[in-house]
Amino acid sequence: MPVKHLRIDNRLIHGQVTATWVQSIGANHILVVNDQVARDPIQKVLLPKAARGVKTSVLSVEEAVAYVQDPSHEKDSILMVVKLPSDALRVLEGGVRPAQVNVGNQAPTPGTDYKMVTKSIAVTAADTEIYKSIAAKGFTVTAQMLPTDSKLDLLELIRKKGF
Amino acid sequence: MAVWQVVAVAVIAAVAGMESVLDEWQWHRPLLACTLIGLVLGHVGTGMAVGATLELTALGWMNIGASQSPDTALASVISAVLAIRAGNDVNQAIAIAIPLAVAGNLLTVLVRTLTIYFQHLSDRMSIDNEQTALFRLNFAALSLQALRVAVPSVLFTIFVSPAMMDRLFSFLPKPLTDGFTAASGFIVVVGYAMVIRSLQVDKLMPYFFLGFLAADFSNITLVAMGILAVAVAWLHVRVWARHDAPGADLPAEEESAPASIRRLPSAVLWRVFWRSQLLQASWNYERMQGMGYAYIVEPTLNFFFPEPEVRLARKLRHVEFFNTQPYVANIVVGINLALEERLQTGDPRYDRLVTSIKLGMMGPLAGVGDSIFWGTLRPLLASLGATIALTGNILGPILFFVGWNILRLAVRWSLLQYGYQLGVRIVNVIATGVLRQVTEMATIVGLIVMGALVADWASIHFAIHWQVGHGQTMSLTQLLNGLFPKLPELLLVLGVLWLLRKGWSSVWVILLLFSLGIVGVYAHVLAA
C-alpha cells in the first residue's frame, strides 16, 4: 500500500506539512482528501501551489480511495492529508491501509461542545466515536504536530479528558 | 544599578515579550534585545557580543504554525544582564541562555493557552461593547505576553548580584569553561543546519556545497555572496528550470464593480495596514490568529456597515480560526476587504467566498511565507548583522533592524494593496506558478549563503599536532588548511542536519555539541 502516512489536519497543507512531514516521510505525492474542498475551485487550485513542488492532488474521498487502489500507483509514496476525522474513517473503510494514522491540528468549531485534548487538537463527543471506530479497525491514532514531537496516543489523551 | 536602568530593562523585556509573539519589529531577536540591554547598562560592546553569538545559535529558531521554538526574548534579556553584571564573559552567558530559552518557551505556551479565555470573551461581544471589545481583548492578551518576560527579567536584575554570579562561575571547573569556549566556535552550525532543514532542499542541495566551496576557497564577502546567490537563483528559476505551464483556470471570475457601492477610502486602508502588525497579538492554541484578524479588518467593517446589528454579526464572523505567516496574511486581508465592499449589496455569495479565500489561502501562504521570511530572509539578514556585530560594530544590529523592517513594511503594504485591487482575481495570478518560483529562488539564495556562512563562521580549533623532523611540528589545522580547509566544519553541519532529520530537537543537539566541546578540551583534541 503506497500510503505512508494519513494526517488529519483541518488546515490541510501548510508550513508544518511542507517543511517537515514531507521530508520525514519521504513522500513524493500529497493527496488532500475532503469532499467539500475537492468541490471548492479556489482551494483546489491553491493547495497544490503550497506544496513546494511536491506533486499534489485534491480529491474527494471516493476519488482518493480509487487512486490509492490503482495498482499503477503502487510505487508512490503518499502523504494523505484529510480535513476531518470522518474523512479518515471513510478512507479507511474504503480499504486504504496507511502505515500511520496521525492527528496534526483540529481547530475547534465554535458553538460545538468540544474539549482541547492537546494544544492544537479539539475533540467533540462525536469525534471521539469516530476515533474509536478508527482504532477498532486496528490503527493506533497518534497525536503529533511535527515529526520531532513525541507521538502520543490520542485515545489515551481523550480518556484523560473524560469523554 | 540605578532605578532608571531597572525600569529600562523592564521596558526592553516587555517589548521583547510582545515581539516574540507578534514577530514584527524583531525586538525579541538576541541581536537587538541584547544590544539594547548593553546600551542601558553601559556596556554596548558586551551586549552586542552576547546578542551576536546568541543570534547565530538561534538562526533556525522560528515559529511555524502552532509549533513554538525556544524563546529568544527571555534568553536574550537575562543572558545579556548576566554577562554584563558578572564581568563580561560572553561564553558563560550563552551556555546559560539555552536553558533559559527552553524555560521561556514553556511560559509562552502557558500564555498562549491562557489567551483562549480572551478568545472566548470575543464570542460574547454585544452591541453595547462591540466598538472596543476587539481592541481591549487583543491588548489584554498582548500585555500578558509583555509581563511574561518583564517580570522574570526584573526579578533577576534586582535580586541576582554580581557577587552571586561570580561565586556561581567560580564553581565551574576550568575544562568546563574552556569547553564552552571551544563549543561556542561551532555551536552556530545548529542554526545553519536548522535553516537548511526548513528550506526543504532535496535536489537543490548542490547549491549549498557551491556556496560553501566559493566562500571556503576565496575571500568573497558575505554581501557579495548574497548578490551572487540572487544571480544564481535567478538563472535557476528563469533559465535552467523548465517553466511550469500556467494551467489553472478559475470559474470564480470577478464581475466589474457595480457603480453603486462605496469604495474604501485610503484612510481606512491605512488603519488596516497599521493594525495588521497586531495579527498575532492574541495568538492562542484554539483559534490562533482569529481574534487578531478580526481586529485588523474591523475598521473596514465599521465603515461599510453602519447598522450595529449587521456590524456585530460581521465582526463575530471574523473571530473564526485563522493562521498563516503574518506578513503574507495581508494579501488575504486585501482580498477580504474587496469582498466586504461587495457585501454591502447583501449578496451572500461574497460571504461564502470570504470563507473559501481565508481557508484556501492560509495554508499555501503559510507554507511559502514561513520558508521565505523565517527560513531564508531573516537568517540571512540576522547572520549578516551578527557577523558585523561580532567585530564590535554597532552597524550590525542597525543593519538588521532597518533592513528587515523596511522589507517587512513594504511587503505588508504592497500585498494589502495588491490583494485589495485585484480581489479574487489574484487567485488566478498565484495559480500560474509564481509562488513556486518565488520559494525556489528563496531556497537557492538561502542554501548558497548558508554554505558561505559555514565556511566563514563555523570554526573548530584542534589542539592536535605532531613532530616532523627536527623541532618542527605539524598541526592538524595546518594539514587541513593545505588540503581542504573547513572540512571538519562541513562534516559537522551535515552530521547535525542528519540528527535533526532523525528527529532530534535543536536543544538536544546544542547540548550534545557543548558536551563534545567539554570532552574534546579535556582530552586535548580541541583547543579553547
Coordinates of all heavy atoms in Angstrom, one line a residue, chain B residues 167-216:
Chain B
R167 N 30.4 33.9 42.3 CA 30.6 32.6 43.0 C 30.1 31.5 42.2 O 30.8 30.4 42.1 CB 29.8 32.7 44.3 CG 30.6 32.4 45.5 CD 29.8 32.7 46.8 NE 29.2 34.0 46.8 CZ 28.1 34.4 47.4 NH1 27.5 33.5 48.1 NH2 27.7 35.6 47.4
L168 N 29.0 31.7 41.5 CA 28.5 30.6 40.6 C 29.5 30.2 39.6 O 29.8 29.0 39.4 CB 27.2 31.1 40.0 CG 26.6 30.0 39.0 CD1 26.0 28.9 39.8 CD2 25.5 30.7 38.2
F169 N 30.1 31.2 38.9 CA 31.0 30.9 37.8 C 32.3 30.3 38.4 O 33.0 29.5 37.7 CB 31.3 32.1 37.0 CG 30.1 32.4 36.0 CD1 29.7 33.7 35.8 CD2 29.5 31.3 35.4 CE1 28.6 33.9 35.0 CE2 28.5 31.6 34.5 CZ 28.0 32.9 34.3
S170 N 32.7 30.7 39.6 CA 34.0 30.2 40.1 C 33.9 28.8 40.5 O 34.9 28.1 40.6 CB 34.5 31.1 41.3 OG 33.5 30.9 42.3
F171 N 32.7 28.3 40.7 CA 32.5 26.8 40.9 C 32.8 26.0 39.7 O 33.1 24.8 39.8 CB 31.0 26.6 41.4 CG 30.8 26.8 42.8 CD1 29.7 27.5 43.2 CD2 31.7 26.3 43.8 CE1 29.5 27.8 44.6 CE2 31.5 26.5 45.1 CZ 30.4 27.2 45.5
L172 N 32.6 26.6 38.5 CA 32.7 25.9 37.3 C 34.2 25.5 37.1 O 35.1 26.4 37.1 CB 32.2 26.7 36.1 CG 30.7 27.0 36.1 CD1 30.4 27.9 35.0 CD2 29.9 25.8 36.1
P173 N 34.5 24.2 36.9 CA 35.9 23.9 36.7 C 36.4 24.3 35.3 O 35.7 24.6 34.4 CB 35.9 22.3 36.7 CG 34.5 21.9 36.5 CD 33.6 23.1 37.0
K174 N 37.8 24.5 35.2 CA 38.4 25.0 34.0 C 38.0 24.3 32.7 O 37.7 24.9 31.7 CB 39.9 25.1 34.2 CG 40.7 25.8 33.1 CD 41.2 27.1 33.5 CE 42.2 27.7 32.5 NZ 41.5 28.0 31.2
P175 N 38.1 22.9 32.7 CA 37.8 22.3 31.4 C 36.4 22.6 31.0 O 36.1 22.7 29.8 CB 37.9 20.8 31.8 CG 38.7 20.7 33.0 CD 38.5 22.0 33.8
L176 N 35.5 22.8 31.9 CA 34.1 23.1 31.6 C 34.0 24.5 30.9 O 33.4 24.6 29.8 CB 33.3 23.1 32.9 CG 31.8 22.9 32.7 CD1 31.5 21.5 32.2 CD2 31.0 23.1 34.0
T177 N 34.6 25.5 31.5 CA 34.5 26.8 30.8 C 35.3 26.8 29.5 O 34.9 27.4 28.5 CB 35.0 27.9 31.8 OG1 36.3 27.5 32.3 CG2 34.1 28.1 32.9
D178 N 36.4 26.1 29.5 CA 37.2 26.1 28.2 C 36.3 25.3 27.2 O 36.4 25.6 26.0 CB 38.5 25.3 28.4 CG 39.5 26.3 29.0 OD1 39.2 27.5 29.2 OD2 40.6 25.8 29.4
G179 N 35.6 24.3 27.6 CA 34.8 23.5 26.7 C 33.7 24.4 26.1 O 33.4 24.3 24.9
F180 N 33.1 25.3 27.0 CA 32.1 26.2 26.4 C 32.7 27.1 25.4 O 32.1 27.3 24.3 CB 31.6 27.1 27.6 CG 30.6 26.5 28.5 CD1 30.5 27.0 29.8 CD2 29.9 25.4 28.1 CE1 29.6 26.3 30.7 CE2 29.0 24.7 29.0 CZ 28.9 25.2 30.3
T181 N 33.9 27.6 25.7 CA 34.6 28.5 24.7 C 34.8 27.7 23.4 O 34.6 28.3 22.3 CB 35.9 29.0 25.3 OG1 35.7 29.4 26.6 CG2 36.5 30.1 24.4
A182 N 35.3 26.5 23.5 CA 35.6 25.7 22.3 C 34.3 25.5 21.5 O 34.2 25.7 20.3 CB 36.2 24.4 22.6
A183 N 33.2 25.1 22.3 CA 31.9 24.8 21.6 C 31.3 26.1 21.0 O 30.7 26.0 20.0 CB 31.0 24.2 22.6
S184 N 31.6 27.3 21.6 CA 30.9 28.4 21.0 C 31.4 28.7 19.6 O 30.8 29.4 18.9 CB 31.2 29.7 22.0 OG 32.6 30.0 21.9
G185 N 32.6 28.2 19.2 CA 33.1 28.3 17.9 C 32.2 27.6 16.8 O 32.1 28.0 15.7
F186 N 31.7 26.4 17.3 CA 31.0 25.6 16.3 C 29.5 25.4 16.6 O 28.8 24.8 15.8 CB 31.7 24.3 16.0 CG 32.0 23.5 17.2 CD1 31.0 22.7 17.7 CD2 33.2 23.4 17.8 CE1 31.2 21.9 18.8 CE2 33.5 22.6 18.9 CZ 32.5 21.8 19.4
I187 N 29.0 26.0 17.7 CA 27.6 25.7 18.1 C 26.7 26.4 17.0 O 25.6 26.0 16.8 CB 27.4 26.3 19.5 CG1 26.3 25.4 20.2 CG2 26.9 27.7 19.5 CD1 26.9 24.6 21.2
V188 N 27.2 27.4 16.3 CA 26.4 28.1 15.3 C 25.9 27.2 14.2 O 24.9 27.4 13.5 CB 27.2 29.3 14.6 CG1 27.4 30.3 15.7 CG2 28.5 28.8 14.0
V189 N 26.6 26.0 14.0 CA 26.2 25.1 12.9 C 24.8 24.6 13.2 O 24.1 24.2 12.2 CB 27.1 23.9 12.7 CG1 28.5 24.4 12.4 CG2 27.1 23.0 13.9
V190 N 24.3 24.6 14.4 CA 23.0 24.1 14.7 C 22.0 25.0 14.0 O 21.0 24.6 13.3 CB 22.7 24.0 16.2 CG1 21.3 23.5 16.5 CG2 23.7 23.2 16.9
G191 N 22.2 26.4 14.2 CA 21.3 27.3 13.5 C 21.3 27.1 12.0 O 20.3 27.1 11.3
Y192 N 22.5 27.0 11.4 CA 22.6 26.8 10.0 C 21.9 25.6 9.5 O 21.1 25.6 8.6 CB 24.1 26.7 9.5 CG 24.9 27.9 9.9 CD1 26.3 27.8 10.1 CD2 24.4 29.2 10.0 CE1 27.1 28.9 10.4 CE2 25.2 30.3 10.3 CZ 26.5 30.1 10.5 OH 27.3 31.2 10.9
A193 N 22.1 24.5 10.3 CA 21.5 23.2 9.9 C 20.0 23.3 10.0 O 19.3 22.7 9.1 CB 22.0 22.1 10.8
M194 N 19.5 24.0 11.0 CA 18.0 24.1 11.1 C 17.4 24.9 9.9 O 16.4 24.5 9.4 CB 17.7 24.8 12.4 CG 17.8 23.9 13.6 SD 17.3 24.8 15.1 CE 15.5 24.7 14.9
V195 N 18.2 25.9 9.5 CA 17.7 26.7 8.4 C 17.7 25.8 7.1 O 16.7 25.8 6.4 CB 18.5 27.9 8.1 CG1 18.1 28.6 6.9 CG2 18.4 28.9 9.3
I196 N 18.8 25.1 6.9 CA 18.8 24.2 5.7 C 17.7 23.2 5.8 O 17.1 22.9 4.8 CB 20.2 23.4 5.7 CG1 21.3 24.5 5.5 CG2 20.2 22.4 4.6 CD1 22.7 23.9 5.8
R197 N 17.4 22.6 7.0 CA 16.4 21.6 7.0 C 15.0 22.3 6.7 O 14.3 21.7 5.9 CB 16.3 21.0 8.4 CG 15.3 19.9 8.5 CD 15.1 19.5 9.9 NE 14.6 20.6 10.7 CZ 13.9 20.4 11.8 NH1 13.7 19.3 12.3 NH2 13.5 21.5 12.5
S198 N 14.8 23.5 7.2 CA 13.5 24.1 6.9 C 13.3 24.5 5.5 O 12.2 24.7 5.0 CB 13.3 25.2 7.9 OG 14.0 26.3 7.4
L199 N 14.4 24.6 4.8 CA 14.3 25.1 3.4 C 13.8 23.9 2.5 O 13.4 24.2 1.3 CB 15.7 25.5 2.8 CG 16.2 26.8 3.4 CD1 17.6 27.1 2.9 CD2 15.3 28.0 2.9
Q200 N 13.8 22.7 3.0 CA 13.3 21.6 2.2 C 14.0 21.5 0.9 O 13.5 21.9 -0.2 CB 11.8 21.6 2.0 CG 11.3 20.3 1.6 CD 10.0 20.3 0.8 OE1 9.2 21.2 1.1 NE2 9.8 19.5 -0.1
V201 N 15.2 21.0 0.9 CA 16.1 21.1 -0.2 C 16.0 20.1 -1.3 O 15.9 20.4 -2.5 CB 17.6 21.2 0.3 CG1 17.8 22.5 0.9 CG2 17.9 20.1 1.2
D202 N 16.0 18.8 -1.0 CA 16.0 17.8 -2.0 C 17.1 18.0 -3.0 O 18.3 18.0 -2.8 CB 14.7 17.6 -2.6 CG 13.6 17.2 -1.7 OD1 14.0 16.6 -0.7 OD2 12.4 17.5 -1.9
K203 N 16.6 18.2 -4.2 CA 17.5 18.3 -5.4 C 18.4 19.6 -5.4 O 19.3 19.7 -6.2 CB 16.7 18.3 -6.7 CG 16.2 16.9 -7.0 CD 15.1 17.0 -8.1 CE 13.7 17.3 -7.4 NZ 12.6 17.4 -8.3
L204 N 18.0 20.5 -4.5 CA 18.8 21.8 -4.6 C 20.0 21.8 -3.7 O 20.8 22.8 -3.7 CB 17.8 22.9 -4.2 CG 16.6 23.1 -5.1 CD1 15.7 24.2 -4.5 CD2 17.0 23.4 -6.5
M205 N 20.3 20.7 -3.0 CA 21.4 20.7 -2.0 C 22.7 21.1 -2.7 O 23.6 21.6 -2.0 CB 21.5 19.3 -1.4 CG 22.3 19.2 -0.1 SD 21.6 20.3 1.2 CE 22.9 20.1 2.4
P206 N 23.0 20.8 -3.9 CA 24.3 21.2 -4.5 C 24.6 22.7 -4.4 O 25.7 23.1 -4.3 CB 24.1 20.8 -6.0 CG 23.2 19.7 -6.0 CD 22.2 19.9 -4.9
Y207 N 23.5 23.5 -4.3 CA 23.7 24.9 -4.2 C 24.4 25.2 -2.8 O 25.1 26.2 -2.7 CB 22.4 25.7 -4.3 CG 21.9 25.8 -5.7 CD1 20.8 25.0 -6.1 CD2 22.6 26.6 -6.6 CE1 20.4 25.1 -7.5 CE2 22.2 26.6 -8.0 CZ 21.1 25.9 -8.4 OH 20.7 25.9 -9.7
F208 N 24.1 24.4 -1.8 CA 24.8 24.6 -0.5 C 26.3 24.4 -0.7 O 27.1 25.2 -0.2 CB 24.2 23.6 0.5 CG 24.9 23.6 1.8 CD1 24.8 24.6 2.7 CD2 25.8 22.5 2.1 CE1 25.5 24.5 3.9 CE2 26.5 22.4 3.3 CZ 26.3 23.4 4.2
F209 N 26.6 23.3 -1.3 CA 28.1 23.0 -1.5 C 28.7 24.1 -2.4 O 29.9 24.4 -2.1 CB 28.2 21.6 -2.1 CG 27.8 20.5 -1.2 CD1 26.6 19.9 -1.4 CD2 28.5 20.2 0.0 CE1 26.1 18.9 -0.5 CE2 28.0 19.2 0.8 CZ 26.8 18.6 0.6
L210 N 28.0 24.5 -3.3 CA 28.5 25.6 -4.2 C 28.9 26.8 -3.3 O 30.0 27.4 -3.4 CB 27.4 26.0 -5.2 CG 27.9 26.9 -6.3 CD1 28.7 26.1 -7.4 CD2 26.6 27.5 -7.0
G211 N 27.9 27.2 -2.5 CA 28.2 28.4 -1.6 C 29.3 28.1 -0.7 O 30.2 29.0 -0.4
F212 N 29.4 26.9 -0.1 CA 30.5 26.6 0.8 C 31.8 26.7 0.1 O 32.8 27.3 0.6 CB 30.3 25.1 1.4 CG 31.4 24.7 2.3 CD1 31.4 25.0 3.6 CD2 32.4 23.9 1.8 CE1 32.4 24.6 4.4 CE2 33.4 23.5 2.6 CZ 33.4 23.9 3.9
L213 N 31.9 26.0 -1.0 CA 33.2 26.0 -1.8 C 33.7 27.4 -2.2 O 34.8 27.8 -2.0 CB 33.1 25.1 -3.0 CG 33.0 23.6 -2.6 CD1 32.8 22.7 -3.9 CD2 34.3 23.1 -1.9
A214 N 32.7 28.2 -2.7 CA 33.0 29.5 -3.2 C 33.6 30.3 -2.0 O 34.5 31.1 -2.2 CB 31.8 30.2 -3.8
A215 N 33.0 30.2 -0.8 CA 33.5 31.0 0.3 C 34.7 30.4 0.9 O 35.6 31.2 1.4 CB 32.4 31.1 1.4
D216 N 34.8 29.1 0.9 CA 36.0 28.4 1.5 C 37.3 28.7 0.8 O 38.3 28.9 1.4 CB 35.7 26.9 1.5 CG 36.5 26.2 2.6 OD1 37.1 26.9 3.4 OD2 36.6 25.0 2.5

